[in-house]
Amino acid sequence: MSDTVAAKNGVTTQYLARVADDLEQNLKEQERLGTEIAVLQSQLAELEADRAVLVSLQEALGATSAPATSAPAAPEPESAPAAAVVDKKNTAAPAKKARAKKPAAVPVQKARKTKTAAAKPAEPRQPSLVTLARDFLTSQTEPRSAAEIAEALAQEHPDRGIKKTVVRTTLEGLVAKNHAQRSKQGSSVFYTAPDPAEPAANSSESSE
């Protein structure tokens, strides 16, 4: 008698375990399907919004008849592919028309830009660094180093991005053309404007 009871208890325990597993699988499947349904509903809402925009665009382009804005009834499984093909055709036509209309405005915009550019006055040319350096030396009464000249020119023309190495090269070019004089005090090199008589003499010598 005890063996029979034990056997029944063992069978009952197995059934209970199987039922518990089935319930857990059922719950997981419900959660999975619920997530998929939520995603599909979100996609359906986006498609309906896109459809409304396309219908209004089709009406704006002067279509003779606009498709119904109400959502169609859920098709049978066998007719679903055909309905998808019809929707693709209806939504593709307005998009192609809209793309064909857009390039017409491009030449007008280019013409406006051309007129605007032509209407702007030409910006005055800025003096060269050679001119700036020569004028600076002319205005000075004492010799100046390349660093001092570069710093002064950079403060007067902050938008030029003047560098000391470029100024030194420019000054050496002025010295080579007798448009400036160079002197050394120890290890430092200083530059001054030439004497008024020297350029005239040099120019007469070069003409000979």
Side-chain angles (χ1 to χ4, degrees):
M1 188 67 178
S2 60
D3 294 339
T4 303
V5 173
K8 288 182 179 181
N9 290 335
V11 173
T12 302
T13 302
Q14 292 178 0
Y15 276 113
L16 287 174
R18 184 176 300 175
V19 169
D21 291 339
D22 292 342
L23 286 173
E24 185 178 358
Q25 293 295 328
N26 184 279
L27 181 60
K28 290 181 179 180
E29 189 68 13
Q30 288 184 25
E31 292 177 353
R32 183 183 67 83
L33 291 176
T35 302
E36 292 182 358
I37 290 173
V39 173
L40 291 175
Q41 287 179 344
S42 176
Q43 293 177 355
L44 179 60
E46 292 178 359
L47 290 174
E48 289 176 350
D50 292 342
R51 183 181 179 84
V53 174
L54 291 172
V55 168
S56 61
L57 180 61
Q58 188 180 43
E59 293 176 352
L61 293 174
T64 55
S65 62
T69 56
S70 59
E76 296 294 332
E78 295 181 356
S79 61
V85 173
V86 174
D87 287 340
K88 287 182 179 179
K89 290 181 178 180
N90 291 337
T91 56
K96 290 181 180 178
K97 290 182 180 179
R99 291 174 184 171
K101 293 283 184 180
K102 286 182 179 179
V106 174
V108 178
Q109 293 177 355
K110 287 185 178 179
R112 290 179 180 175
K113 290 181 179 179
T114 304
K115 291 181 180 179
T116 304
K120 290 182 178 180
E123 296 181 357
R125 295 183 59 183
Q126 295 182 349
S128 63
L129 185 59
V130 175
T131 302
L132 295 177
R134 185 171 59 239
D135 294 344
F136 179 81
L137 290 176
T138 303
S139 65
Q140 300 299 307
T141 58
E142 297 179 357
R144 301 292 181 182
S145 65
E148 292 174 340
I149 298 171
E151 183 179 358
L153 294 178
Q155 291 179 356
E156 292 179 2
H157 306 276
D159 57 330
R160 298 286 294 266
I162 297 175
K163 296 181 179 180
K164 183 174 69 174
T165 55
V166 180
V167 172
R168 182 181 289 109
T169 303
T170 302
L171 293 171
E172 291 297 327
L174 291 174
V175 172
K177 295 180 180 180
N178 294 323
H179 292 165
Q181 292 181 345
R182 178 178 56 187
S183 60
K184 295 189 69 175
Q185 298 180 8
S187 60
S188 301
V189 178
F190 294 89
Y191 300 89
T192 57
D195 294 334
E198 289 188 2
N202 291 330
S203 59
S204 63
E205 290 176 359
S206 60
S207 62
E208 293 176 359

